[in-house]
Amino acid sequence: MGRKARRASNRVRFERGVSRGARSVSDQAGSDERVAGAGPAPDVMISSAMPWQMARVNEGYASRLDSAEARAWPEWAKWRDEVFGFTFEPIVMAYRLDLSRHMMPPATHADLHTLLTEQGQRLRGRVTIYSPAHSGVGYTLFQQDARYTPRFWDLVAAMGNAEAVLEANTRDMLEGISEGRYWLGYNLLGSYAMVWAQEHPEVIVQVPQDYSLVMMRMAFIHRDAPNPRAAETFLNFLLSREGQHVLAGETPLFSVRPDVTGPYTAQRLRDQVGDRLYPIPIDASLLAFVDPQRRDAFMQRWRREFERR
């Protein structure tokens, strides 16, 4: 698939690998073969599975971008001028419009816990969440929730008691809500959910009022990029005002730059939600999430609480 970008002589070909978002995280986090060098290297690597993207950079697969755009990029959205978070995507809850006829829809994580505890029987099999074992994004979000939700493990147990259905991606959750199989979804990618709700009025999107995690898609130039100058041009475009304007106006991915206007910008989201947006930090703390011992310990606890009856 190709699209002209910035210069008429540059054409971008996107190749979709096996997404860490859809791959089992119990897979020994090894690298995609093309990243590790078993096949032709890509020019630019883009992924929403933030810990694994950071791990590749930490392993030395990224080439530093030395440019004015890179130097001006916010410190909280980059690491060592090697990898850059170029989107700003809130994590949301979504529910069917007719849920309010049966019970008060949740507006906070505490509300969700109360709802699952008090209405667990009525909600049995009607709640959908990410599978942390089969989605790298889902695993990352649960890890982050554990930092900010005081009763996180009680919430996981309540989800299990309600027999929440585990899905590998946001689209499957949204389809289930639209079809009436699910009444409520938790930790969906807002970039998808908000656009879906525009086309499916039966779906309501709720940005949690206590806090909302923010995920960023991360991009880096591969150290063995076959076309390094074109890779630099492309990544600089993603970080530029022009590229961010495209994100803000033509996609639901939300731009990072504060000098960009449009329906989907981080600043507009902050104006609407306030200071309750918590971007997942792009720093060395992400590496702990792919540590095998920590990952195994977290998943053992998650399964134990989710299966508690």
Side-chain angles (χ1 to χ4, degrees):
M1 163 175 155
R3 173 175 177 166
K4 291 181 181 178
R6 194 161 193 147
R7 295 180 182 173
S9 60
N10 285 344
R11 193 173 282 275
V12 180
R13 185 179 70 185
F14 297 94
E15 293 190 7
R16 185 186 299 274
V18 179
S19 169
R20 184 61 65 177
R23 176 186 283 180
S24 171
V25 298
S26 61
D27 234 356
Q28 204 46 3
S31 35
D32 291 336
E33 291 185 351
R34 299 186 67 218
V35 180
D43 289 311
V44 177
M45 289 292 302
I46 298 176
S47 176
S48 58
M50 297 176 67
W52 285 269
Q53 193 78 327
M54 177 64 80
R56 296 297 150 254
V57 175
N58 190 58
E59 290 164 4
Y61 287 105
S63 177
R64 186 173 182 271
L65 179 63
D66 185 10
S67 70
E69 301 290 2
R71 289 189 291 273
W73 201 246
E75 290 295 331
W76 54 267
K78 67 180 179 179
W79 194 51
R80 300 192 309 203
D81 284 344
E82 293 180 2
V83 63
F84 302 85
F86 65 95
T87 67
F88 194 86
E89 302 171 56
I91 305 304
V92 302
M93 294 185 278
Y95 59 88
R96 280 189 65 85
L97 178 63
D98 53 9
L99 176 69
S100 58
R101 296 208 304 260
H102 305 283
M103 58 196 73
M104 180 68 71
T108 67
H109 293 79
D111 289 347
L112 178 62
H113 178 256
T114 299
L115 189 70
L116 292 171
T117 301
E118 296 179 354
Q119 302 286 346
Q121 290 295 328
R122 298 186 72 183
L123 288 172
R124 194 171 301 280
R126 298 282 195 174
V127 177
T128 182
I129 60 175
Y130 268 113
S131 165
H134 294 94
S135 167
V137 170
Y139 167 79
T140 302
L141 296 178
F142 278 123
Q143 280 272 16
Q144 291 291 323
D145 273 335
R147 297 177 59 186
Y148 297 118
T149 302
R151 301 185 63 185
F152 170 72
W153 293 114
D154 291 337
L155 178 60
V156 172
M159 291 174 177
N161 189 55
E163 297 180 7
V165 180
L166 306 179
E167 296 283 12
N169 58 72
T170 288
R171 183 179 180 85
D172 288 346
M173 296 187 213
L174 291 168
E175 286 181 348
I177 295 172
S178 284
E179 294 168 2
R181 290 184 286 113
Y182 307 138
W183 287 357
L184 175 65
Y186 174 70
N187 266 6
L188 290 77
L189 299 183
S191 52
Y192 296 137
M194 291 176 182
V195 171
W196 185 277
Q198 291 175 7
E199 301 173 356
H200 299 82
E202 72 280 358
V203 176
I204 305 298
V205 174
Q206 172 69 62
V207 178
Q209 294 181 1
D210 51 348
Y211 75 87
S212 174
L213 298 173
V214 175
M215 185 202 76
M216 289 177 279
R217 292 169 200 264
M218 296 167 60
F220 68 83
I221 299 171
H222 197 286
R223 68 183 182 194
D224 299 320
N227 306 287
R229 290 187 64 183
E232 291 177 4
T233 297
F234 179 72
L235 189 49
N236 277 322
F237 176 75
L238 287 181
L239 306 182
S240 71
R241 192 173 188 276
E242 180 184 357
Q244 290 281 297
H245 182 72
V246 172
L247 287 180
E250 300 180 24
T251 81
L253 300 178
F254 290 88
S255 66
V256 173
R257 289 179 64 124
D259 59 347
V260 169
T261 59
Y264 298 105
T265 69
Q267 188 56 55
R268 183 169 182 177
L269 191 62
R270 287 190 176 102
D271 291 342
Q272 294 172 344
V273 179
D275 59 359
R276 301 182 301 275
L277 295 170
Y278 295 174
I280 298 173
I282 297 182
D283 58 29
S285 68
L286 283 173
L287 298 173
F289 296 170
V290 296
D291 175 77
Q293 290 185 331
R294 174 169 176 163
R295 187 174 68 248
D296 290 347
F298 182 87
M299 287 305 304
Q300 288 176 10
R301 176 78 185 272
W302 196 93
R303 292 188 184 98
R304 185 168 68 248
E305 299 295 343
F306 188 77
E307 295 169 3
R308 177 157 52 104
R309 293 289 189 270

